[in-house]
Amino acid sequence: MAKAAAAAGTATGQCLCGKVTFEIDVPARWAWHDHSAASRRAHGAAYATYVGSWKKRFRVTSGQTALTRYEDKATKTARSFCSHCGTPIAYERPRGPHMVNIPRALFRERTGRQPLYHIAIEELQEWAYTGEPLVPLKGFPGVVWQRSKKKKRGGGEDPFELGRDEM
């Protein structure tokens, strides 16, 4: 049996309101981006980035009583979140009964793993940002945008000309 790697320290995290705090021993086991509909809905975002840890290396350091748990009977998954602010804290799956997955954004420090994997990439939404070049939006400091890729028309061309032949 392989021996577990010794912890190189801890990474701490918390929910939005600060009632629930936790820590994991680092390095974390893995990290990934989850594009599934369930994670999109649970986080209200294009995708969720998780850090996976062995349950025995995950500790709630305060706010245990503020945690609420939702169990999806169809998928046999469970999601824990802060009952005060609604922040998702943990995601558990039957495929990994000894593992807990925590949203990466909740950690203050490095977790020892970079999210290199994409789960349910076939569910990536067409409106999700995928790294296209962004430029500053003039007059709005701190705001960047993706320029549209509209085709440039030749000088004097009528954009409605194609449909006129059919009249």
Side-chain angles (χ1 to χ4, degrees):
M1 185 172 187
K3 187 176 179 181
T10 59
T12 59
Q14 71 175 56
C15 65
L16 176 63
C17 71
K19 290 195 185 298
V20 178
T21 61
F22 55 87
E23 66 184 15
I24 63 168
D25 294 333
V26 294
R29 182 77 175 117
W30 60 66
W32 76 94
H33 304 292
D34 185 345
H35 301 274
S36 70
S39 283
R40 277 198 316 276
R41 290 184 181 111
H43 289 261
Y47 60 89
T49 302
Y50 289 106
V51 170
S53 174
W54 295 103
K55 283 183 181 177
K56 64 184 177 184
R57 295 176 66 149
F58 169 74
R59 295 167 296 283
V60 175
T61 53
S62 68
Q64 181 71 43
T65 59
L67 283 175
T68 297
R69 186 173 169 95
Y70 167 71
E71 295 183 11
D72 185 334
K73 296 199 185 335
T75 61
K76 297 183 172 97
T77 59
R79 295 179 186 270
S80 299
F81 56 94
C82 174
S83 62
H84 293 274
C85 66
T87 301
I89 303 292
Y91 171 45
E92 299 168 72
R93 302 180 302 175
R95 284 184 20 208
H98 302 291
M99 303 300 293
V100 62
N101 305 295
I102 307 113
R104 174 60 182 96
L106 304 182
F107 288 97
R108 290 185 190 97
E109 299 90 7
R110 292 178 169 264
T111 62
R113 293 285 181 250
Q114 293 299 320
L116 302 176
Y117 310 99
H118 292 261
I119 305 297
I121 192 69
E122 69 280 2
E123 295 183 47
L124 175 72
Q125 298 298 293
E126 55 89 22
W127 47 263
Y129 175 68
T130 56
E132 300 86 359
L134 301 173
V135 296
L137 182 58
K138 187 176 178 180
F140 295 89
V143 178
V144 294
W145 71 296
Q146 177 186 331
R147 288 192 173 138
S148 62
K149 297 176 183 165
K150 58 183 173 178
K151 294 180 181 177
K152 293 186 179 191
R153 290 187 224 128
E157 284 185 18
D158 183 348
F160 300 105
E161 188 173 331
L162 292 175
R164 289 191 182 151
D165 294 338
E166 298 172 3
M167 291 183 170

